[in-house]
Amino acid sequence: MYHHYRRFFTNKVAFVKVASLSLFLQHSVIASEVYSTDTVVVTGTKTERNLLDVPVRTEVVTREQLQESHARDLAEGLKNVPGVMIKPIHGKTGQEIWLQGFDANRVLVLIDGLPVSASTGSSVDLTQISVADVDHVEIVKGSVSALYGSEAMGGVVNIITVKSKPGSSYQITVDGGGYGQDNVTDDVFNDKHVNLFLQHDTGTWFTALSADLRDKGGSRLQPDAWDYEGASGDKMNVSLDLGYHFDNGATLLFKPSYYRESVVQNFSTFTPGFGDIYKIKNEDATRKNITMSFDTPIWGDGKLSTWYIHEQFIDETSQDVVSTATKDQERYGESNFDKAEMQLDKNITDNHLLTLGVVAMRSDLQQKQIIKNVTVDEIGGKKERQNIEFYAQDDIFVGDTLEVLPGLRYQYDSDFGGYLAPKINLMYGPDWIANADLKWRLGLGHGYRVPTLKERHYVFDHSALGYMVIGNPDLLPETSNSVQFGGELNTEKFRADINFYYNDIDNLITTTLDQNASNSTGLSIFSYDNIGEAITQGVDISTGYLFSDNFDTQLSYTYLQSEDKETGLVLTNRPEHLAKLQFSYKVPVIASTFSVYGNYQSKEYIDVDNLITSPEYSTFDFKINTSLDHGITLFMGVDNLTDTVRDTPSTGQDLRPDVGRFVYVGFRVNG
């Protein structure tokens, strides 16, 4: 391991160049958002802390940013965050998040600290998560927060919803747009979207209703072609908060939620002697969730938090050759999980905050295929898993400038036994610069991840597309060692941030081609396997400057190096360079804000032998927001302004966007 640390910190010319670039950017005062001093976050420490004073590096997307960028779902809301890669889910509709070279299977997605079930494979589809009731989103990268357990090896994304406040309020958003000649429908508003958020709080009882509806007409890159690159269908999110405030400051909350989607995608496959065979892929998915939580003061300045969640996810898919009378393939998959947690926070002394917690979880998975009305169990009955976890953390303040945050988590899994994962964070805030807030942060963490039930047992069958991915019951748990080190400088108008990271991973789980099975079936048969050791390392730089009340800029750059240590080759789907920018200009005389968002990523390897690359590309989005009286905002935008798309027909070797320029208009009413 010393060899890799030494190479990372001393022998890479690229990092010297990056450090020089950082200094240039700081002197050029081009920067990311200057955060409000009252921004409160909870993810890094599992306790409420001011963003500028939290010892675990945390990035935030605010409600205002979500609205200014016209985000319709969480995927759109996170695509401009420095160092974040939003990628399409392979073989499915939807998008997922990658952090620091870790794929979405290793990034834990939470809503108010509670887990969201994976919709496909073992990753969460971000397009299924509405932002109608989101107050802000917190992102912690790497395994430096051991308090979240197995699924958080690559990081945590925590969606914090709007909290009730006395009185009533509402928000309604309506928008629609199209892809021009790429529209599947003849309607100008090929895609339509509406969301509603209502809340009422009497001071004792409170309730909130959030609803989000989206209708997509579908899009294609070749006019009048059969194939849809952008699926058509509809999605619906509904959630209800019912709660009570007690006189002693305790809060009881009951929250049911429901998600449904029904999407369709046309595709074709070429068969020698027959030509293109037209096919249709259908997917119907539902997620039902019930959450109950209770928070109360205890023992003076202590706090006890408890919650329970039950979630069921059902995914029904089918693939059908249009010219035949029967469906080729129908599949039913169902997963359930129950999880409960209790956490105690207590000040031991004036400079010690102790956090203790216990978590219990069970999950199950079943999958069936229907062939000519005959049901076939594909995984040998229902598969189940249980685990129990304990965690402890001590937040220690050493004087006014140093904070030390050690912690550990013990996990006992019904299939893999017990494991202890420690971590420690340090933050140093010297008073070196007048009228500025400077923080240095160091995080060391050990990650541990057991294979999911889907990775071990799921049959991801796309025979109609020529491949299958089969679970492997013999998978071993993954482990990682993570180092995060960086500094952050904030003034009234300026912010600069640089963070170096290093992740050393053992028994990395990935998909590999089973050549023998492929030869015998005529399909490409993939299975999950442990590939041994891998590293991801690099640096995130973000800077920003508020030139005036009307003009601000943001710029970020990420360098990522990944390596399979057994072969010395680059890991697939991990571009080396990622850059993002934003310019916003307000015109007070017309109460309007004009914004441009840009994203660039370099080429990426798509095969393990590093022989095939997907091209580098850039995209730009243009947004306008105009404020009117009575809480009304009119907005319009153009996503993918330059119409950057992959080659057609698809060869599977081009990972550029598969949907083109999207033009839309809308309005928002607040009251």
Side-chain angles (χ1 to χ4, degrees), residues 15-51:
F15 286 106
V16 175
K17 294 180 178 178
V18 165
S20 301
L21 176 62
S22 172
L23 294 174
F24 171 76
L25 292 175
Q26 293 179 31
H27 287 293
S28 299
V29 292
I30 301 174
S32 62
E33 181 184 359
V34 179
Y35 291 110
S36 169
T37 57
D38 60 0
T39 302
V40 175
V41 296
V42 298
T43 305
T45 62
K46 277 206 163 190
T47 57
E48 292 188 351
R49 296 292 302 272
N50 184 283
L51 175 62

Side-chain angles (χ1 to χ4, degrees), residues 112-159:
D112 290 327
L114 308 182
V116 179
S117 62
S119 56
T120 179
S122 51
S123 64
V124 173
D125 180 0
L126 302 183
T127 68
Q128 295 181 351
I129 301 176
S130 166
V131 296
D133 62 343
V134 173
D135 179 78
H136 66 276
V137 184
E138 301 174 9
I139 302 105
V140 173
K141 298 172 182 174
S143 57
V144 294
S145 183
L147 302 188
Y148 290 97
S150 182
E151 291 82 5
M153 180 181 290
V156 180
V157 175
N158 195 3
I159 302 145

Side-chain angles (χ1 to χ4, degrees), residues 42-43 46 48 74 108-116 129 133-138 148 156-164 197 206 208 239-241 253 255 289 291-293 295 303 305-309 341 343:
V42 298
T43 305
K46 277 206 163 190
E48 292 188 351
L74 190 60
L108 179 62
V109 178
L110 308 169
I111 297 179
D112 290 327
L114 308 182
V116 179
I129 301 176
D133 62 343
V134 173
D135 179 78
H136 66 276
V137 184
E138 301 174 9
Y148 290 97
V156 180
V157 175
N158 195 3
I159 302 145
I160 308 300
T161 59
V162 175
K163 300 300 184 287
S164 66
F197 177 70
F206 64 92
S239 67
L240 177 67
D241 288 12
L253 174 66
K255 183 172 185 174
N289 180 299
T291 300
M292 292 179 287
S293 66
D295 301 329
K303 180 182 178 182
S305 303
T306 62
W307 56 262
Y308 165 77
I309 181 173
E341 180 171 352
Q343 177 177 315

